[in-house]
């Protein structure tokens, strides 16, 4: 970990007050940690945008298990990408609906491609890719 530096920022008073209120609601103990998280989030978002670095994420899919062939298609897609899809969690939400959460690791662009295909599969009611980092390059 590098050394810590302090720097000054000019900002409108009302904006800072609103931000302080927001970070207090989120449970931050101080402004510095909240700002560090903002910086980290921007860096991770940029890594995703570039698409070349190894990243991790989760893909959540909600679908009806009655939809013909859908479970089989989703399972096949997961076998086709077994190196990227590390683990899956399947929850039977009710008599009809399933939630499947996939933990993924790989190049950002590859993860996005797989995610778009899964979410776009006919019969998937809703899907969401959540992006994060391997944590290697962040302090
Ligand atoms: Ni199920």
């Amino acid at each position: 970990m590098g050394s810590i530096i302090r720097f000054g920022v000019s900002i409108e008073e009302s904006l800072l007050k609103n931000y302080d209120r927001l970070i207090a609601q989120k449970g931050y103990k101080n402004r510095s940690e909240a700002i560090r998280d903002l910086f980290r989030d921007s860096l991770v978002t940029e890594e995703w945008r570039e698409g070349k670095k190894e990243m991790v994420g989760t893909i959540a899919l909600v679908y009806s298990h009655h939809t013909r062939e859908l479970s089989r298609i989703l399972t096949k897609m997961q076998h086709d990408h077994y190196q990227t899809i590390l683990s899956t969690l399947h929850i039977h939400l009710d008599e009809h609906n399933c939630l499947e959460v996939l933990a993924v690791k790989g190049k950002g662009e590859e993860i996005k491609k797989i995610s778009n295909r899964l979410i776009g599969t006919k019969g998937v009611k809703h899907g969401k890719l959540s992006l994060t980092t391997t944590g290697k390059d962040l302090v």
Side-chain angles (χ1 to χ4, degrees):
M1 199 167 135
S3 57
I4 302 283
I5 62 156
R6 295 176 64 89
F7 65 98
V9 177
S10 304
I11 188 170
E12 288 80 2
E13 193 180 355
S14 60
L15 180 59
L16 186 60
K17 271 186 185 162
N18 284 336
Y19 190 67
D20 282 344
R21 201 177 312 125
L22 176 73
I23 65 179
Q25 283 168 6
K26 288 187 170 186
Y28 284 105
K29 295 269 185 291
N30 60 63
R31 215 181 263 154
S32 293
E33 187 52 29
I35 290 170
R36 281 194 284 270
D37 274 1
L38 262 187
F39 281 25
R40 291 185 191 111
D41 195 48
S42 300
L43 292 168
V44 170
T45 301
E46 181 59 16
E47 285 178 352
W48 272 105
R49 205 190 56 73
E50 288 168 2
K52 302 293 178 199
K53 276 187 86 169
E54 184 176 67
M55 308 294 286
V56 297
T58 57
I59 304 165
L61 303 168
V62 174
Y63 61 92
S64 164
H65 80 110
H66 299 304
T67 307
R68 225 172 138 256
E69 294 283 278
L70 180 58
S71 303
R72 195 190 61 75
I73 292 166
L74 291 178
T75 303
K76 187 193 176 304
M77 284 173 74
Q78 292 179 39
H79 277 283
D80 289 346
H81 300 283
Y82 69 92
Q83 284 160 317
T84 306
I85 299 169
L86 304 177
S87 181
T88 63
L89 169 71
H90 185 102
I91 296 162
H92 312 298
L93 294 172
D94 56 30
E95 292 88 340
H96 316 289
N97 294 294
C98 303
L99 166 67
E100 203 149 289
V101 182
L102 289 63
V104 291
K105 184 166 102 172
K107 277 194 181 150
E109 58 191 9
E110 175 73 7
I111 290 176
K112 279 185 225 170
K113 207 161 66 183
I114 292 170
S115 171
N116 285 340
R117 254 202 247 148
L118 287 164
I119 293 170
T121 301
K122 192 166 179 280
V124 173
K125 292 182 178 181
H126 187 252
K128 195 93 184 164
L129 169 63
S130 174
L131 318 170
T132 185
T133 167
T134 61
K136 284 178 193 162
D137 298 328
L138 289 181
V139 291

